[in-house]
Amino acid sequence: MSTPAAERGSTTVAERAVRRIAERAATEALAPGEVHVGRGSAAVRGRRARVGVAVTLPYPTVLDEAGERVRSYVADRTAGLTGLAVPSTRVRVRELRVRERSEGAVTPPSAGAKGRAWRPWSQRRVPVAVLAFVCAALCGLLLYDVVSVHAADRSPARWRAHLMDWLVTRGPDRGAWPGAAMAAALFLLGVVLLVLAVTPGRRRLLPMARPDADVRAVLDRRAVAFLLRDAVAETPGVTRVRVGVGRRRARVRAGLGFGPPGPARRAVAEAAEEALAACDLAKPLRLSVRVRTEPAWRAPAPSADKSAIGVAGSTRRGADEPTP
């Protein structure tokens, strides 16, 4: 006599086993070695399971696409191996990791070296667009007049005739100041264009140290100023902080409301140096720190030990003095 299938017993899959399966499945979602998994989580309720994993994805990658691939693969793989329904799968991307280079890849000499990061170049769209529009308008106007003279047998435009006469009579070689002024203006315009062409621009961005040849990162000078201000503001006794960050120097001005100035200045300098070191800039900024006492500042009171020593010393001197 056979026992009905419903009465033969049940198979229970432990939450620990479901968690291990989900973690293993996450490492198989992308190419081998690209996904690193931290400790996951799993909750089993009857024939349903909810799982979650924290992963480290390769950089660069599209986060939403890679996360969706990991989530769907973990859900399908866990459901297939455990026989449970997995309606909810949570994937948390905790960090990105730069892909490791192959053994045959050649690393440039400048990769990973501080101080070798290039500043980002500005595209300067507005100056280029304005200059291109002005040049195109002038060239189009001149071309129209030349074509109308040679093709339609018309007389040249008055503005061109007057311009030629003016240049002939008042050119730079004639010694007249208008021609010399125009020549100087054109020369300055050429210098400005050359400066724009050979300088990177984007002066508000500071390049960070490059950990890899394919990674380039920058920090806005205002962000560095905010970090310095927050770090210095936590120093005991400091009530007011002003920070200015340039391309080569950072200036910190702090107001001291209470406490001794010497230790406070050392604490402010240490906090600012730690904040700058945490920014990991390619070219470290020169730090200038100044701490001034506020108008309401008062000198710290002497400690109890020094007061007791002073009182004892005065009492002893009074006892040693001869009685008149």
Side-chain angles (χ1 to χ4, degrees), residues 124-176:
R124 295 188 172 93
R125 297 177 179 177
V126 174
V128 171
V130 172
L131 182 62
F133 177 77
V134 172
C135 292
L138 294 178
C139 293
L141 186 61
L142 180 62
L143 180 61
Y144 172 78
D145 186 63
V146 172
V147 171
S148 63
V149 170
H150 291 277
D153 198 14
R154 296 178 180 178
S155 58
R158 291 184 178 181
W159 62 268
R160 188 159 69 95
H162 290 316
L163 179 61
M164 294 298 103
D165 294 339
W166 188 88
L167 291 176
V168 170
T169 56
R170 294 178 177 83
D173 56 343
R174 300 293 181 177

Side-chain angles (χ1 to χ4, degrees), residues 11-307:
T11 301
T12 303
V13 182
E15 294 182 351
R16 181 180 180 183
V18 176
R19 175 175 59 83
R20 292 289 183 87
I21 292 174
E23 293 173 354
R24 180 65 179 180
T27 60
E28 302 172 353
L30 301 181
E34 288 194 347
V35 180
H36 299 269
V37 182
R39 184 175 180 83
S41 61
V44 179
R45 297 294 181 270
R47 304 298 302 174
R48 301 165 65 89
R50 298 176 180 271
V51 297
V53 290
V55 299
T56 299
L57 297 181
Y59 177 88
T61 188
V62 182
L63 290 181
D64 56 350
E65 295 180 0
E68 178 60 25
R69 289 175 58 185
V70 174
R71 189 201 64 79
S72 60
Y73 188 85
V74 168
D76 297 341
R77 188 66 171 167
T78 304
L81 293 178
T82 61
L84 303 175
V86 185
S88 176
T89 304
R90 186 178 67 255
V91 176
R92 183 172 65 90
V93 181
R94 62 180 184 179
E95 64 177 337
L96 300 177
R97 178 178 297 181
V98 180
R99 287 188 173 93
E100 297 181 357
R101 294 181 174 272
S102 59
E103 297 181 357
V106 179
T107 303
S110 60
K114 292 187 176 182
R116 299 294 183 89
W118 293 97
R119 290 181 55 197
W121 282 73
S122 174
Q123 297 180 357
R124 295 188 172 93
R125 297 177 179 177
V126 174
V128 171
V130 172
L131 182 62
F133 177 77
V134 172
C135 292
L138 294 178
C139 293
L141 186 61
L142 180 62
L143 180 61
Y144 172 78
D145 186 63
V146 172
V147 171
S148 63
V149 170
H150 291 277
D153 198 14
R154 296 178 180 178
S155 58
R158 291 184 178 181
W159 62 268
R160 188 159 69 95
H162 290 316
L163 179 61
M164 294 298 103
D165 294 339
W166 188 88
L167 291 176
V168 170
T169 56
R170 294 178 177 83
D173 56 343
R174 300 293 181 177
W177 68 268
M182 288 186 60
L186 292 176
F187 174 77
L188 292 178
L189 178 61
V191 172
V192 170
L193 294 178
L194 288 176
V195 171
L196 293 177
V198 301
T199 55
R202 293 191 176 183
R203 300 174 63 87
R204 300 198 64 86
L205 298 180
L206 299 175
M208 301 177 63
R210 299 174 60 181
D212 193 85
D214 297 332
V215 178
R216 291 186 179 182
V218 293
L219 270 179
D220 193 279
R221 292 192 300 183
R222 291 175 295 183
V224 178
F226 291 154
L227 293 175
L228 287 176
R229 184 195 62 186
D230 295 342
V232 173
E234 296 178 356
T235 304
V238 174
T239 58
R240 179 176 53 87
V241 182
R242 291 188 305 170
V243 179
V245 177
R247 292 194 301 113
R248 296 181 178 87
R249 178 177 298 180
R251 299 177 178 85
V252 178
R253 302 294 181 261
L256 186 64
F258 60 89
R265 188 189 183 285
R266 289 191 294 270
V268 168
E270 291 177 359
E273 291 175 356
E274 291 180 0
L276 282 180
C279 293
D280 197 18
L281 299 176
K283 296 182 179 179
L285 301 177
R286 294 195 300 270
L287 184 62
S288 174
V289 177
R290 181 180 300 176
V291 178
R292 291 184 177 180
T293 57
E294 297 289 351
W297 177 83
R298 293 293 183 271
S303 61
D305 296 340
K306 293 183 179 179
S307 301

